[in-house]
Amino acid sequence: MSDLLEGALQAFWLVFGRDPVLIEISLRSLRVTLTALLVACVIALPLGAYLAVRRFRLRRYVIAVLNALMGLPPVVVGLIVYVFLSRSGPLGVLGLLFTPTAMIIAQVIIIVPLIASIAHQALRELWSDYHDLLISMNASQGQRIRALLWDGRRALLTAALAGFGRGIGEVGAIMVVGGNIDHLTRVLTTAIALETGKGEFALALALGFILIAIAIGVNLAIHMLSGTEREGRW
Amino acid sequence: MSNLFPLSVEGALTRRRGRVLVGPVDLKLDPTGTTMVIGPNGAGKTSLLRMLHGIARLGAGRINWACEEHEAQRHQAFVFQQPVMMRRTVQDNLAYPLRLSGVKRAEARDRAAVWAGKVGLGAMLTRQATVLSGGERQKLAIARALIRDPELLFLDEPCSSLDGRATREIEEILHGVAEVGTRIIMSTHDMGQARRLGTEVAFLLHGKVHEFAAADTFFPAPATAQARAFLNGDIVE
Ligand SMILES: Nc1ncnc2c1ncn2[C@@H]1O[C@H](COP(=O)(O)OP(=O)(O)OP(=O)(O)O)[C@@H](O)[C@H]1O
Ligand SMILES: [Mg+2]
């Protein structure tokens, strides 16, 4: 119990003392996850829409695989990315291992299935609404997908936020491919793991509180930004 | 006058899970006029319109347009029995078909505003279409169907939720577009409307076109007992 209290206090001092290390790793956390989120959305949202609109033979299997990949343990993703990026691996020449880019790659792989699945779920419902109308209007495949993405944007925002949540709190994969190197690849979650390992519970907790605060802050900010153009309940 | 017609339908039918919804249907439709599709609930009116429009797959038979099928598809519009509201504003719903065919945003929105005015939705341009009342939805759907100047317009009970005045207004619009050569095929349960707008009548029963005749012969003297019973409001066997 005293650890919690001390952690809260220490978090307070870290934040209000504008601790430079804290700021550095917090910003890195945000940068890595937001970049991964952006890339993942560019892949996953159209994929979700495509799966909703298009009936092809392997569709069920793609969806089943996506759903299965949602539960993929991050550390396994990390290992696979590690193997690919390691010096002797197929992409070793790029020299990406133990860089933020490697962490971004791993996070993209982790959150794409999640975002695509949620997006597909939501857009499938919208498509069953729109199906007759858009076909009647002779909308092309691309136009159908664009209509779904635009009109389903609230649901897609939820999908993106779920992806952000999974990314920002993820530790297994980025630990493996990033290496938790001070001033280079250390982020909030890996720092927490490190401090916990050293027995610095209060500091670890403090970082944890800050992580939670950032996650909540980003969610609120995005909801408020998107709320300005809202009318009606969807 | 429409380039899609004359239309000849030969033995066309649609199935759903092995059950025939409508057909086989044989019809010849001329380039002008308004065809009224009438019949009791479940007779297959909606199914027939959807089949002709091409959104219900043909299980058998042929639908022969006077032009390429792809070309024919581009010049049709359909107002559904349950209008589909896109999750956007009234104005953006109306502008959408124009945007699909490449009209610039500003022009599409201007034309949308004009059409909103024509159907009495002028004061609701910025309202979300999903919160409209049933009647307002139907008006929106009709305007959205007409905005691309279709050569052929399908309407599936377009006035079922409209009050008397709105019905008259819509009928006037339909009359106007029919006058400039838009071919209309519509279903209705309102026999007054069928008489006012129809030039020919397809009376459907049990998924078949039971009687097909010019309006001015059908209404005074239907050829079959079933059509007579239907017009009298009796139970149709
Ligand atoms: N998707 C479907 N699956 C199964 N049966 C269907 C489907 N659509 C229509 N039917 C059936 O086909 C028959 C004809 O339906 P349809 O909607 O064409 O009738 P309708 O003449 O338009 O009736 P209403 O006046 O009630 O609108 C009905 O018995 C209906 O239950
Ligand atoms: Mg019907």
Side-chain angles (χ1 to χ4, degrees):
Chain A
M1 203 58 222
S2 73
D3 276 338
L4 270 181
L5 200 63
E6 208 178 311
L9 267 177
Q10 202 159 344
F12 182 83
W13 286 122
L14 283 175
V15 170
F16 285 90
R18 304 232 179 108
D19 185 82
V21 175
L22 173 75
I23 291 175
E24 185 199 313
I25 63 173
S26 300
L27 285 180
R28 188 174 298 118
S29 268
L30 272 175
R31 198 174 46 129
V32 165
T33 300
L34 287 177
T35 311
L37 181 62
L38 196 73
V39 176
C41 281
V42 169
I43 299 169
L45 298 183
L47 176 62
Y50 182 81
L51 289 174
V53 167
R54 190 67 201 262
R55 319 236 137 225
F56 52 97
R57 201 141 28 99
L58 294 177
R59 186 169 152 275
R60 280 156 169 273
Y61 299 99
V62 173
I63 292 167
V65 168
L66 269 185
N67 286 337
L69 288 180
M70 267 201 302
L72 209 61
V75 68
V76 174
V77 174
L79 269 174
I80 294 169
V81 174
Y82 183 99
V83 169
F84 270 83
L85 296 182
S86 67
R87 209 175 292 279
S88 54
L91 301 175
V93 285
L94 301 176
L96 289 177
L97 200 58
F98 305 131
T99 66
T101 308
M103 296 153 73
I104 291 170
I105 293 172
Q107 291 212 335
V108 168
I109 296 172
I110 289 167
I111 63 185
V112 158
L114 180 68
I115 299 180
S117 281
I118 300 177
H120 167 246
Q121 198 67 32
L123 296 182
R124 198 174 53 173
E125 262 170 50
L126 189 58
W127 178 238
S128 74
D129 265 16
Y130 279 15
H131 178 270
D132 286 351
L133 180 70
L134 294 195
I135 289 185
S136 158
M137 287 178 172
N138 252 301
S140 68
Q141 196 81 242
Q143 288 170 326
R144 292 173 197 177
I145 288 175
R146 252 173 287 151
L148 287 190
L149 290 177
W150 180 247
D151 289 353
R153 59 195 182 280
R154 313 210 125 252
L156 298 182
L157 190 68
T158 310
L161 287 177
F164 176 79
R166 178 128 205 243
I168 194 88
E170 191 279 313
V171 55
I174 52 176
M175 187 70 103
V176 173
V177 301
N180 194 21
I181 303 166
D182 208 4
H183 299 306
L184 184 62
T185 59
R186 181 161 304 162
V187 292
L188 279 168
T189 50
T190 55
I192 291 170
L194 179 73
E195 298 304 335
T196 308
K198 291 198 299 196
E200 298 273 356
F201 293 120
L203 181 55
L205 270 171
L207 294 171
F209 288 138
I210 290 162
L211 181 65
I212 293 170
I214 288 179
I216 293 176
V218 167
N219 271 272
L220 284 180
I222 292 181
H223 267 300
M224 255 145 47
L225 279 179
S226 70
T228 52
E229 46 139 353
R230 125 150 87 193
E231 189 207 322
R233 54 172 182 81
W234 43 270
Chain B
M1 208 181 84
S2 163
N3 299 317
L4 280 54
F5 290 83
L7 166 67
S8 87
V9 180
E10 297 163 8
L13 65 79
T14 59
R15 287 195 196 88
R16 189 81 184 214
R17 301 217 174 84
R19 211 165 74 81
V20 173
L21 301 187
V22 69
V25 173
D26 292 280
L27 277 180
K28 291 224 182 305
L29 295 181
D30 290 333
T32 56
T34 295
T35 307
M36 285 292 167
V37 179
I38 62 173
N41 290 130
K45 301 181 293 297
T46 299
S47 304
L48 174 65
L49 298 186
R50 290 171 60 94
M51 178 173 81
L52 294 179
H53 184 47
I55 45 180
R57 187 138 34 103
L58 268 189
R62 297 168 56 79
I63 294 180
N64 305 306
W65 302 97
C67 60
E68 287 271 328
E69 182 175 337
H70 172 78
E71 187 63 16
Q73 225 113 59
R74 291 202 312 128
H75 296 288
Q76 304 178 17
F78 200 108
V79 176
F80 295 95
Q81 191 165 5
Q82 264 109 35
V84 182
M85 293 295 104
M86 296 182 79
R87 300 178 188 184
R88 331 180 153 198
T89 62
V90 168
Q91 189 167 25
D92 288 340
N93 262 274
L94 289 171
Y96 186 69
L98 295 174
R99 299 282 295 143
L100 281 184
S101 35
V103 177
K104 292 267 182 312
R105 180 184 303 272
E107 190 199 332
R109 290 173 63 89
D110 287 347
R111 281 165 68 183
V114 171
W115 269 100
K118 286 195 205 179
V119 295
L121 296 175
M124 303 179 188
L125 283 179
T126 58
R127 196 173 294 181
Q128 286 299 327
T130 43
V131 305
L132 295 182
S133 75
E136 288 160 353
R137 285 168 184 237
Q138 285 195 328
K139 294 180 192 174
L140 174 56
I142 291 168
R144 190 176 55 194
L146 282 169
I147 202 162
R148 279 203 292 199
D149 287 329
E151 291 183 23
L152 168 58
L153 177 62
F154 290 99
L155 302 128
D156 196 2
E157 296 183 38
C159 300
S160 57
S161 323
L162 298 184
D163 60 31
R165 183 174 149 212
T167 300
R168 286 308 173 115
E169 283 167 4
I170 294 301
E171 285 182 11
E172 239 152 68
I173 290 174
L174 295 180
H175 215 88
V177 297
E179 217 136 67
V180 298
T182 307
R183 189 69 170 83
I184 295 176
I185 302 178
M186 69 184 278
S187 74
T188 183
H189 281 293
D190 176 348
M191 289 308 118
Q193 178 168 65
R195 284 171 213 259
R196 286 190 295 273
L197 291 176
T199 58
E200 59 188 357
V201 177
F203 172 63
L204 263 62
L205 195 60
H206 306 314
K208 299 256 181 5
V209 179
H210 196 76
E211 196 168 331
F212 184 68
D216 42 17
T217 60
F218 179 84
F219 287 114
T224 62
Q226 289 87 343
R228 212 168 308 134
F230 178 74
L231 287 181
N232 286 334
D234 296 337
I235 293 171
V236 186
E237 288 306 327

